[in-house]
Amino acid sequence: MATLAEVGNGVNIMWVLFCTILIVLMLAGFAMIEAGNVQHKNSIGILYKNILNGAIAVVSFWILGYGFAFGNTKGGFLGVSLYG
């Protein structure tokens, strides 16, 4: 039988995965909107720009966001324990 802490941890993981999927779908939607609003010759550049935006977002979350979201807090607002 799972404890309440284990269930809560599983729910937290599923929530973060769900939000991640929504963000990826949002990025794809923005890419399609922007590609549809430019001339055909510029659509590849717009799609590359959106891929780069997604890559920058992933690296930024890896560097800063994870520690802010899941580190132990100091003062009750941002997590700071995962930064050395």
Side-chain angles (χ1 to χ4, degrees):
M1 180 108 167
T3 66
L4 187 59
E6 291 171 345
V7 172
N9 190 27
V11 169
N12 286 340
I13 290 171
M14 291 304 295
W15 176 252
V16 170
L17 286 174
F18 177 71
C19 291
T20 303
I21 290 168
L22 287 178
I23 290 171
V24 168
L25 290 174
M26 180 186 67
L27 289 172
F30 283 145
M32 296 302 110
I33 287 174
E34 289 181 6
N37 285 331
V38 298
Q39 293 180 2
H40 179 68
K41 65 178 183 173
N42 297 329
S43 62
I44 298 297
I46 291 295
L47 294 176
Y48 279 136
K49 180 192 73 95
N50 283 299
I51 290 172
L52 182 65
N53 285 343
I56 289 171
V58 166
V59 171
S60 298
F61 181 78
W62 180 65
I63 291 172
L64 293 173
Y66 185 83
F68 284 163
F70 298 110
N72 295 329
T73 62
K74 187 177 224 180
F77 185 62
L78 289 176
V80 295
S81 65
L82 298 177
Y83 295 111

